[in-house]
Amino acid sequence: MKTNVLPEDIELAAAPPSSWRLFVATFCRNRGAVLGLLVLVLMVIVALLAPSIAPHDPYELFTGKEQLPPSFMSGGDAMFFLGTDDAGRDTLSRVMYGARYSLFIGLSATTLAMITGISLGLSAAFWPKVWGKAVMLVNDILMSYPSLLLAIIIAAILGPNMTNTIITIALVCTPPFIRLTRATAMVELQREYFTASKVMGAGVLRLLFITILPNCMAPLIVQATMIFSSAILEAGAIGFLGFGVQPPDAEWGAMLGTARQYIQSNVWLAIWPGLAIFLAALSINLTGDGLRDALDPKLKQVS
């Protein structure tokens, strides 16, 4: 039986996949990135639903239940799956609530650093002579210091609380955004579409944030995922040293700082918050690798 094939059908069948479908296909081809994204989404869900799914109040003290091992070990209690801390608080509940603090600090610091870094990077590329040189000089000075050391110094000056921790990490994470934004924008400033927009009378803000910025976003999104991972690690380090969120708030770094004096007698106090930090950073890094592959035109492959 003969069928009629219209030219429109042939053209539709031969049409290349959309950019969004190509992005999803390339990302899903990276199994590590998919696994990292699933773990990250699970941690976000746990953080959002912690008040509903946590077995106990993270601040509730159970007298006589201090430093219990996990329930699956000898001496454990079925009430406390991951055991209790030095004050008799449920470790599992505190780890769940700790996700709220750590992920919020990391996300807030990354967002603040990204907004500040993009603004300064774009302006440094647009006005390269005086302003651009001054911005990059300060940026190079900040990047010459080890990030953790700089974060500790700033945190010690500002004082230990969550707001100051976010500001501290944002200041430390801003220089990479400035450098990357400026380098990418300098290339885009030489494009014909920018010259055409400028000739047509577009204002400075429109040129920077509507004309240039969208074409710089791919590498910046990948950079943001890496900075997000670093922000969580630095928040944990600051909290461990006592300059971040203060006990009894359930933040992973603060939990590690409290557990360090009991490592020899009860290592489980340090294992669970440390494992949470490790999984959060690893999942974000794996997701960032997948985003890099999916957003880089040279690495995309049409299936």
Side-chain angles (χ1 to χ4, degrees):
M1 184 175 180
K2 188 175 181 181
T3 58
N4 295 325
V5 179
L6 299 177
E8 294 83 357
D9 296 334
I10 298 177
E11 183 178 355
L12 181 62
S18 64
S19 58
W20 170 249
R21 291 181 61 186
L22 184 59
F23 168 82
V24 173
T26 307
F27 183 87
C28 293
R29 195 178 295 118
N30 189 329
R31 295 181 180 179
V34 174
L35 178 60
L37 181 60
L38 291 176
V39 172
L40 181 60
V41 170
L42 178 61
M43 298 186 81
V44 171
I45 293 174
V46 169
L48 294 176
L49 300 181
S52 301
I53 63 178
H56 301 283
D57 188 323
Y59 303 105
E60 184 177 359
L61 305 178
F62 293 89
T63 306
K65 303 288 186 178
E66 295 83 0
Q67 298 190 44
L68 287 179
S71 61
F72 49 83
M73 294 184 60
S74 176
D77 190 319
M79 287 180 59
F80 311 105
F81 181 68
L82 298 183
T84 58
D85 64 5
D86 59 319
R89 295 169 295 210
D90 180 48
T91 300
L92 177 58
S93 301
R94 292 181 64 76
V95 170
M96 288 181 173
Y97 273 82
R100 299 166 68 92
Y101 283 96
S102 296
L103 294 179
F104 177 76
I105 290 173
L107 181 61
S108 300
T110 302
T111 303
L112 183 58
M114 189 173 185
I115 293 173
T116 306
I118 287 175
S119 301
L120 291 175
L122 287 176
S123 63
F126 196 78
W127 296 290
K129 292 185 178 180
V130 178
W131 172 250
K133 290 180 180 179
V135 169
M136 294 311 298
L137 176 61
V138 175
N139 194 68
D140 291 339
I141 293 174
L142 291 176
M143 293 191 71
S144 65
Y145 279 89
S147 59
L148 181 57
L149 177 59
L150 184 60
I152 292 172
I153 294 173
I154 297 174
I157 295 173
L158 296 179
N161 59 56
M162 187 173 69
T163 302
N164 290 341
T165 300
I166 293 173
I167 296 174
T168 296
I169 298 175
L171 289 174
V172 173
C173 295
T174 297
F177 281 116
I178 296 176
R179 180 180 290 274
L180 180 60
T181 303
R182 178 181 176 273
T184 310
M186 291 290 284
V187 176
E188 298 301 323
L189 286 171
Q190 309 303 320
R191 307 287 188 186
E192 293 181 357
Y193 73 86
F194 171 76
T195 305
S197 299
K198 192 173 182 180
V199 170
M200 292 176 64
V204 174
L205 292 179
R206 182 178 181 85
L207 289 173
L208 292 180
F209 295 100
I210 297 180
T211 304
I212 297 178
L213 181 58
N215 296 286
C216 303
M217 286 307 297
L220 288 173
I221 291 173
V222 178
Q223 180 71 23
T225 60
M226 302 305 174
I227 293 296
F228 188 17
S229 172
S230 300
I232 291 178
L233 291 174
E234 290 175 1
I238 292 173
F240 175 78
L241 295 174
F243 295 107
V245 177
Q246 297 297 294
D249 289 336
E251 192 267 332
W252 292 336
M255 293 173 65
L256 277 176
T258 303
R260 60 182 171 184
Q261 56 185 322
Y262 303 105
I263 287 180
Q264 293 184 345
S265 60
N266 191 355
V267 69
W268 300 107
L269 293 176
I271 285 180
W272 305 123
L275 182 62
I277 294 175
F278 167 75
L279 289 177
L282 179 61
S283 63
I284 295 170
N285 283 333
L286 290 175
T287 304
D289 288 340
L291 289 174
R292 180 198 61 202
D293 296 345
L295 292 172
D296 191 339
K298 298 179 182 178
L299 299 176
K300 289 182 180 180
Q301 299 176 1
V302 180
S303 301

